[in-house]
């Protein structure tokens, strides 16, 4: 199965630009590209279902995973097991881009967000 990025429609989620490559497909995992503009933060959250794998493609992102903080640069990966609280943000002056894989696939009903 080939999926052309040019056929996908990006959408905004709290300031994050998301391109979902697997939306509407009956697959075991899901994958999305996320553009994180300068100053944007993914609020603290966790999944009751999916493990998350973030691979930074461009820029820098600061992750917080269960109270531990670290910076990721291009080529770095952050694994967030289901049930683990996390957040990330872009403190740089350039947009960061990351690839996110959920296993099993993403389901919004299984995601929990703090206010």
């Amino acid at each position: 199965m080939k999926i052309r990025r040019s056929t996908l429609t990006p959408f905004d989620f709290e300031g994050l630009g998301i391109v979902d490559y697997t939306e509407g497909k009956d697959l075991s995992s899901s994958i999305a590209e996320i553009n994180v503009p300068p100053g944007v933060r993914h609020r603290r959250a966790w999944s009751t279902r999916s493990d998350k794998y973030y691979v930074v493609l461009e820029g820098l992102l600061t992750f917080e995973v269960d109270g531990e903080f670290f910076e990721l640069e291009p080529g770095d990966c952050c694994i967030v097991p289901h049930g683990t609280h996390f957040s990330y943000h872009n403190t740089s002056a350039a947009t960061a881009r990351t690839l996110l894989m959920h296993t099993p696939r993403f389901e919004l009903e299984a995601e929990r967000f703090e206010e």
Side-chain angles (χ1 to χ4, degrees), residues 52-74:
K52 299 170 185 284
Y53 303 83
Y54 290 90
V55 177
V56 174
L57 303 173
E58 294 177 5
L60 300 172
L61 288 173
T62 301
F63 273 78
E64 184 266 319
V65 179
D66 271 351
E68 182 182 351
F69 290 84
F70 45 89
E71 291 218 348
L72 273 74
E73 56 188 40

Side-chain angles (χ1 to χ4, degrees), residues 3-46:
I3 302 167
R4 289 188 182 277
R5 189 185 189 292
S6 62
T7 66
L8 303 175
T9 304
F11 64 93
D12 181 85
F13 179 78
E14 298 183 353
L16 303 168
I18 300 176
V19 177
D20 188 343
Y21 284 81
T22 50
E23 181 179 14
K25 295 176 178 46
D26 187 22
L27 301 169
S28 60
S29 298
S30 60
I31 192 163
E33 176 186 321
I34 304 173
N35 290 289
V36 187
V40 172
R41 171 183 298 274
H42 183 290
R43 66 180 150 139
R44 191 167 164 82
W46 66 98

Side-chain angles (χ1 to χ4, degrees), residues 12 18 23 28 32 38 51 66 76-77 82 97 103:
D12 181 85
I18 300 176
E23 181 179 14
S28 60
D51 297 329
D66 271 351
D76 291 345
C77 178
H82 71 279
R97 195 165 57 100
T103 301

